[in-house]
Amino acid sequence: MNHRLCPTILREYDIRGTFGRNLGAADAAAVGRAFGTIVHGAGGSHIVVGRDGRLSSPTLEEALIEGLMQAGIHVVRIGIGPSPMLYHAERHGSVDGGIQVTGSHNPADDNGFKMVLRNRPFFGRQIEALAVLSEEGELASGAGTVRKADVLDEYVGLLLASARDLPAFRIGWDAGNGAAGPAIEQLTAQLPGEHHLLFTTVDGHFPNHHPDPTEDANLAALRSLVEAEQLDFGVAFDGDGDRIGVVDGQGRTIAGDQLLSILAESTLRTIPGAAIVADVKASATLFDRIAQLGGRPVMWKSGHSNIKTMMHEVGAPLAGEMSGHIFFGELGGHDDALYAAVALIRAVAESGCALSDMRDALPQSVATPEMRFAVDEDRRETVVEEVLARLAASGAQVDRTDGARVTTSDGWWLLRASNTQAMLTARAEARDEEALARLVAAIDEQLAQSGVSRA
């Protein structure tokens, strides 16, 4: 039976909504049936399915698998684990694609689906086409099967292979009660050094803090641990293990672009002249630093599917976002926060310095954290278009790669539509606090003209 998916859950690079409001079992079954039809049309028949630890994930997983089987798909069910484990299983298993049931870093009641088709992200117009097929198209019918597979040991083995010959560090790890917890336990048990673990029990209530390491408040427990135990540094993970947060030995946050700058130095030492991709929210100092190191900086749209696609286009071995997604060419371009943690350990070891010293050595500027403004779903893109029109009329220097990135004599500011929530996101960077205040005021003024406030 054909089914209409709520338009608001059709994001740019995944399907995501609120369970019980605009996302339920019927939607999951429809996604499975339509995706299975697409896979059949491409000559495939096998899909791997994983899930995170949210309370609604078992229900959605069951319905998704039922829809896939109704389309004649043979399903390999790998159970709870981080999204990178699903990507690994899809890339190395004898399958034609994969789907992870996950709400990622969103609130606990949110959930959705990240999809991969033949080692490439399934996003944008492909998701739009899936929705049309579900509602109006001719869907495949068949009698698929399902079997369970345990790939956790294999996935952790991949992480350990990248950790060969690492020195011993004292590190804090905060899993945030997300799906990466069991993998972190298994990984750290076999790494050299001393490892202090927080909240590795998978719990969809997220009782300790929200699983989004880009929010500074969510790093409080990790920061306290690092300071109390005098650890070298700490790492934190989101609900599905594809975003990393980092604090140095002094408890200071290492921003996503700073982390990429640290990893870029190690990468460019091994692969001179390589392209490195960063999203439009990243600091100008990052792009300058990549160029100074002999690399080729590439600015691109935010969003893991966008970044993965650009990596393949330019052959980049490394990419990253301010949101803490770090992508690796040797993984096929996928983002993996646990792999990024191991890469950070190696980068610190190669530097011969403490991570806090590496942070201090980076070019200094002042910047806002990512600012978020709630808007009605149907106003997300419209507000940005209104701002762009006003900027064009004023003659401002604007980069339209993803929203509006405006350069002035004070620095730059960015306003864009979130691809995962009913939000606008903004950021600004300047040479000093006074200049930063002027940039933030410019953002506020543009938002006010479109009827959006901070409240």
Side-chain angles (χ1 to χ4, degrees), residues 241-439:
D242 60 7
R243 291 183 179 215
I244 186 173
V246 181
V247 299
D248 70 10
Q250 298 179 32
R252 300 176 300 178
T253 301
I254 305 292
D257 51 4
Q258 292 176 319
L259 175 59
L260 186 60
S261 184
I262 290 167
L263 298 179
E265 185 169 355
S266 178
T267 297
L268 291 170
R269 191 181 297 118
T270 305
I271 312 173
I276 294 180
V277 181
D279 76 320
V280 70
K281 292 184 283 188
S283 170
T285 63
L286 168 63
F287 297 105
D288 293 342
R289 179 62 175 158
I290 293 170
Q292 290 168 2
L293 292 169
R296 180 159 60 95
V298 179
M299 181 190 294
W300 195 234
K301 298 176 182 178
S302 294
H304 62 91
S305 295
N306 294 320
I307 297 293
K308 292 173 188 174
T309 300
M310 180 54 69
M311 280 187 79
H312 288 295
E313 288 186 13
V314 300
L318 179 69
E321 295 184 272
M322 280 298 298
S323 58
H325 290 278
I326 305 293
F327 308 80
F328 298 91
E330 62 263 36
L331 300 182
H334 293 306
D335 43 343
D336 187 330
L338 281 73
Y339 197 92
V342 174
L344 175 61
I345 297 171
R346 184 172 299 283
V348 174
E350 289 176 354
S351 76
C353 302
L355 180 58
S356 56
D357 293 333
M358 298 176 75
R359 183 188 188 277
D360 289 339
L362 293 173
Q364 299 300 305
S365 61
V366 292
T368 67
E370 184 174 66
M371 300 177 288
R372 301 178 184 181
F373 306 88
V375 294
D376 291 339
E377 182 67 34
D378 59 2
R379 286 283 288 162
R380 283 187 310 133
E381 300 288 351
T382 304
V383 170
V384 174
E385 290 301 322
E386 291 170 359
V387 171
L388 284 168
R390 289 193 292 268
L391 292 170
S394 71
Q397 182 180 340
V398 183
D399 184 306
R400 293 173 173 253
T401 297
D402 185 4
R405 179 163 168 150
V406 182
T407 300
T408 76
S409 58
D410 286 326
W412 61 270
W413 61 266
L414 170 73
L415 181 71
R416 58 180 291 277
S418 169
N419 287 320
T420 59
Q421 295 173 298
M423 296 276 183
L424 298 173
T425 66
R427 187 163 185 261
E429 179 182 68
R431 61 179 184 272
D432 56 41
E433 293 291 349
E434 290 184 359
L436 185 64
R438 288 192 290 270
L439 295 175

Side-chain angles (χ1 to χ4, degrees), residues 115-199:
M115 295 167 283
V116 186
L117 182 61
R118 292 191 167 160
N119 304 327
R120 293 291 186 271
F122 185 92
F123 73 112
R125 293 182 178 178
Q126 292 171 305
I127 291 176
E128 294 174 5
L130 180 150
V132 172
L133 178 63
S134 176
E135 183 176 8
E136 304 175 0
E138 184 176 341
L139 300 170
S141 295
T145 60
V146 59
R147 67 176 177 87
K148 293 183 178 180
D150 186 351
V151 299
L152 178 60
D153 290 350
E154 180 182 321
Y155 170 64
V156 173
L158 166 75
L159 301 173
L160 289 169
S162 72
R164 290 189 183 120
D165 304 320
L166 289 181
F169 284 100
R170 301 177 67 248
I171 302 170
W173 302 69
D174 182 353
N177 298 111
I184 291 170
E185 290 178 346
Q186 195 165 322
L187 169 65
T188 55
Q190 300 176 72
L191 285 176
E194 182 181 322
H195 302 280
H196 298 250
L197 308 187
L198 292 173
F199 318 136

